[in-house]
Amino acid sequence: MRVFVTGASGWIGSAVVPDLIDAGHRVLGLARSDSSADALSAAGVEVIRGSLDDLDILRGASAAADGVIHLAFNHEVAFEGGDFKGAADADRRAVEAMGEPLTGSGKPFVIASGTPVVPGRVATERDGHVIPPGAADDPVLAGPTTRMATAEWALSLASRGVRASVVRLPRTNHGEGDRGFVATLVRTARDKGVAGYYGDGTNRWPAVHRLDSAHMFRLALEKAPAGSTLHAVADEGVRLRDIAEVIGRHLQVPMASVPPEDAGEHFGWLAMVLAADQPASGTLTGELTGWQPTQAGLLDDLDKGYYFRTPTA
């Protein structure tokens, strides 16, 4: 297939692209900078210059492709800039621009989302499809709620002749070169001189290696039934205390609990992610697609040491 990929030069996209090419697909990648364009060209990708705000470009590229994988999201605005709602609104406009031209085509349209939080139990692919009343008006929940609604809108395209699916990613997509949540925890521990964990440390993160999640996106493109919700989850739930233990051991700093009332000051923007117990399962996804993770789990990956060799951004 001729596959249009947004976020093709990003953390997940740079693993998805070679997986697609190795499987015989041709990739068109969206690039908003010269450095991204150069990286994509070197990887054998046909470059389309633009950003998620260039809706006409997105419509044209989607219409011309045999399938679309949407990975881009403005994490800098959402997390470091504190405007999750603004980033989610821009994402919704981009998804609509790419999805509408596919109506009636039968082509695959795969978008990335996040695994849901289900209080008291492990979240499955069947969860997270009903928006809680009032969530869209809550200052904290508005952004995540908008993104959840975008995923549901994409799934609704299945009734309009699009083989749409959503791949939900866990909080941590780890691997060498990671600059995300785990890298931020390492940097915080180095800066503070202590490997902190939120509260009693029993809150759990689901996790997956980026190479395994990349393979999940290719399988979704090739074979996911219309309307599928898929979980790219390898570790159902890794305790924050266990993550802190490995970080403390490698940095040779002590472990310590950070009380919830001090978490914002200690962890910064990451505190809101650490505050929830959020395990998730990928069992149904494996049964539907045959996907099985083959890479190291989060704690084993951390123990390889590359997260600690140089200060993380």
Side-chain angles (χ1 to χ4, degrees), residues 85-170:
K85 182 64 164 63
D89 286 341
D91 183 66
R92 175 58 179 264
R93 293 189 291 270
V95 169
E96 289 178 348
M98 290 181 285
E100 291 287 357
L102 300 178
T103 299
S105 68
K107 296 177 182 178
F109 182 33
V110 186
I111 78 165
S113 188
T115 54
V117 177
V118 181
R121 65 174 176 81
V122 175
T124 77
E125 295 86 341
R126 297 189 180 101
D127 295 312
H129 295 285
V130 179
I131 296 174
D137 299 320
D138 185 294
V140 175
L141 299 177
T145 298
T146 297
R147 200 167 192 203
M148 176 181 171
T150 298
E152 294 305 302
W153 183 87
L155 291 175
S156 75
L157 292 174
S159 65
R160 299 165 58 190
V162 182
R163 189 160 60 80
S165 62
V166 171
V167 174
R168 291 173 172 171
L169 296 170

Side-chain angles (χ1 to χ4, degrees), residues 181-190 196 205 243 247 267 270 274:
F181 291 169
V182 172
T184 300
L185 287 176
V186 172
R187 182 199 65 205
T188 301
R190 182 180 280 114
W205 273 0
I243 297 172
I247 292 174
F267 294 110
L270 190 55
L274 296 167

